[in-house]
Amino acid sequence: MRKAAQPAPDFLKAHILISPDPYAESVMGEVRYELSSAGPLDSIRLDAHHMEFNRVEVNDVPAEYSAENGTLVMAGPGKAGVHKITISYQAFPRQALYFFGWKDSIAGNEQ
C-alpha cells in the first residue's frame, strides 16, 4: 500500500534578519517562519543553495536536519496546526547578490 502524501505547508509570515559580510562575500542571517499545515508534517524541505546552517528549530526546539544538494530537510512538527520554524545560516550567494570593490585597493570603490 502506498503512503499518502503529506499536506503542503502554507507559509504565513517570514521575519528575516540579514547581515552582509562583503569581505567574506557572504550573508549571515536568521529567518523565522510561521506556517500552517492541515495535517501532520513529518518533514519540511526548503531550497538552500550555497548555505551553511548554525541552528534549525521547530516550535522553539532544536530539530534534526540535513543540508545536501541545495536542499534543507528538517524534521517536521508531526501534527496539524500553526508552527514556528527558525533557521540561522550563512549564505554564499553566486547570483543576484554581488560584492564589488571590497578586495581591491581603490578607495570608495565598494558596492
Side-chain angles (χ1 to χ4, degrees):
M1 177 174 252
R2 188 173 166 201
K3 182 179 175 183
Q6 71 177 5
D10 183 12
F11 286 81
L12 306 172
K13 295 180 186 178
H15 297 275
I16 303 167
L17 303 170
I18 63 167
S19 178
D21 181 345
Y23 295 104
E25 297 183 351
S26 69
V27 176
M28 300 288 290
E30 180 177 283
V31 60
R32 287 177 275 161
Y33 292 114
E34 182 178 300
L35 62 88
S36 175
S37 66
L41 296 171
D42 58 6
S43 64
I44 299 169
R45 303 173 72 83
L46 299 172
D47 286 341
H49 296 277
H50 313 294
M51 298 176 78
E52 296 174 357
F53 300 94
N54 304 316
R55 188 180 83 230
V56 175
E57 295 179 352
V58 175
N59 294 327
D60 300 319
V61 175
E64 290 186 29
Y65 68 92
S66 66
E68 297 176 1
N69 302 320
T71 302
L72 171 65
V73 180
M74 70 191 82
K79 60 183 179 178
V82 176
H83 305 284
K84 294 188 298 183
I85 307 294
T86 303
I87 303 167
S88 177
Y89 63 89
Q90 183 172 12
F92 301 89
R94 295 194 178 164
Q95 59 186 11
L97 178 64
Y98 304 97
F99 301 95
F100 294 111
W102 291 90
K103 294 182 178 179
D104 64 29
S105 62
I106 303 170
N109 191 38
E110 301 82 11
Q111 299 180 43

